[in-house]
Amino acid sequence: MQLVDKTKYWNELINSLINTSYEKIENFVSFLLKSTLSTAIFGSLRTYYPFLLFGAVINWNLLLATFLVIFAVYCMNNLTDKEEDEVNSPDKASFVNKNQKTLTFAVGSSYIIAIILGLLDSIYAVFILLVPLFAGVIYSIKVSSKLPRLKDIFAVKNIIIALSWAVVTTFIPAINAINVSWAFIIPLFYFFFVKSFVNSVVCDIRDIEGDTANGIRTIPVGIGKEKTKRILTALTFSIMPVISILLFYGLSIGYFITMAFSMINSYWHINYVSNAKEVSKYMSLLVHGEWIFVLVLCYIITLV
């Protein structure tokens, strides 16, 4: 009888520990997603990648500045998108409403620190880091009652998002690169532009309901989900011939494989994640955390 009681006690204790740990992990993952910290972390990893491609020395100040810029811009976007998020992502909208003052302070302080870090490197870094702020302001904020937000103009918001992040991701690492030609930089810029454009439009596919309710004419709202997916798939595969040019300018086969892997991941994102009725927290981390896998693949290929 004593043995049975002890076994029951230990089973209950283990189950309790597992449930408590799972709950803490769930809360932590939710916080990362709702606070946009996960977006900032993965975005700075994306910027780390071209340092490797350029063969440049890793500039940790600029990587931290990139992290702070991404965090600030997406916090600002969450603050201005509360109405849409109440339909598309109620948990995130609730988090923003509860922490509005903190997030507003975080936007300003993060950008100030990022600019200071940029100044420590060069004035060029400051100009590059200001691009997402400028894009975020004209994208999210209605300057005049007579003019629409750029976010509300068909396809414009996706182009602005893609351009601003392609500029940061490509040119921040290029500042520290030596003897890298424009013939190498331009195909890489196209790669990051398409990746960012696809990601932003896939998010719009999942947000059709909220965007329609708020009168936001996104690409999926305007032309439909299936046609949007076909366009995104064509854009994704247009990456292959463009990045093939990089092979003629010194890109190793190993790094070419990592870029092809990233392209395939976008295809999966378009044709699987956008079809999911509900995307779990962990699936969201898996989708946006692709650069973890890309960087791991880079180091594996380097060691082989």
Side-chain angles (χ1 to χ4, degrees):
M1 189 69 179
Q2 259 187 336
L3 183 60
V4 173
D5 288 342
K6 284 183 178 180
T7 303
K8 184 180 178 182
Y9 167 79
W10 284 109
N11 284 338
E12 288 176 353
L13 180 62
I14 291 168
N15 287 333
S16 176
L17 287 171
I18 290 171
N19 290 334
T20 303
S21 300
Y22 180 76
E23 186 179 344
K24 287 182 178 179
I25 292 169
E26 281 272 294
N27 292 337
F28 179 67
V29 171
S30 294
F31 174 74
L32 285 177
L33 292 170
K34 290 185 288 190
S35 66
T36 71
L37 278 170
S38 60
T39 305
I41 292 167
F42 297 141
S44 52
L45 288 177
R46 177 183 58 199
T47 308
Y48 183 97
Y49 180 58
F51 277 100
L52 301 179
L53 297 185
F54 290 143
V57 176
I58 307 299
N59 189 316
W60 296 105
N61 279 349
L62 289 183
L63 281 175
L64 177 57
T66 303
F67 167 85
L68 292 169
V69 164
I70 296 170
F71 177 68
V73 169
Y74 278 94
C75 275
M76 181 174 67
N77 187 54
N78 286 349
L79 288 164
T80 58
D81 282 3
K82 287 187 293 182
E83 290 182 8
E84 296 98 304
D85 287 337
E86 283 172 2
V87 178
N88 297 323
S89 183
D91 285 347
K92 185 167 73 172
S94 175
F95 176 84
V96 171
N97 285 326
K98 288 177 183 176
N99 299 278
Q100 188 161 335
K101 289 184 180 179
T102 303
L103 292 174
T104 303
F105 174 77
V107 170
S109 58
S110 294
Y111 231 108
I112 290 169
I113 296 169
I115 295 305
I116 292 170
L117 289 170
L119 277 170
L120 293 174
D121 189 88
S122 71
I123 192 65
Y124 300 111
V126 174
F127 288 133
I128 294 167
L129 292 169
L130 284 171
V131 170
L133 176 63
F134 177 71
V137 169
I138 63 174
Y139 159 76
S140 299
I141 297 173
K142 195 167 187 176
V143 180
S144 167
S145 58
K146 295 180 181 179
L147 297 172
R149 294 181 302 175
L150 288 182
K151 177 177 181 175
D152 301 328
I153 301 174
F154 183 76
V156 171
K157 76 150 190 172
N158 304 103
I159 294 170
I160 289 173
I161 290 171
L163 279 173
S164 63
W165 294 123
V167 165
V168 172
T169 306
T170 307
F171 293 110
I172 283 292
I175 291 173
N176 297 104
I178 300 172
N179 298 325
V180 176
S181 69
W182 283 101
F184 193 97
I185 290 172
I186 291 171
L188 192 63
F189 180 86
Y190 179 80
F191 169 77
F192 285 115
F193 173 83
V194 171
K195 289 286 298 180
S196 298
F197 184 85
V198 167
N199 285 345
S200 70
V201 178
V202 168
C203 289
D204 289 340
I205 292 175
R206 288 162 46 194
D207 292 345
I208 285 179
E209 185 181 345
D211 289 336
T212 303
N214 285 278
I216 300 172
R217 195 165 179 263
T218 62
I219 293 174
V221 170
I223 66 174
K225 179 178 176 179
E226 293 307 316
K227 189 176 286 187
T228 299
K229 286 169 61 179
R230 287 197 292 272
I231 291 171
L232 294 183
T233 300
L235 266 175
T236 297
F237 282 106
S238 74
I239 288 174
M240 184 58 75
V242 174
I243 63 174
S244 296
I245 296 169
L246 296 176
L247 292 171
F248 294 98
Y249 290 93
L251 183 73
S252 70
I253 291 293
Y255 283 136
F256 179 81
I257 290 170
T258 64
M259 297 180 83
F261 168 82
S262 183
M263 182 192 76
I264 293 167
N265 185 72
S266 286
Y267 176 77
W268 171 73
H269 193 183
I270 295 162
N271 291 283
Y272 176 76
V273 179
S274 65
N275 284 334
K277 291 183 179 179
E278 184 178 352
V279 179
S280 70
K281 299 179 184 73
Y282 302 102
M283 181 62 74
S284 292
L285 285 179
L286 185 63
V287 169
H288 298 296
E290 75 164 286
W291 297 103
I292 295 174
F293 301 105
V294 170
L295 291 175
V296 168
L297 186 58
C298 282
Y299 281 106
I300 290 172
I301 288 171
T302 303
L303 292 171
V304 172

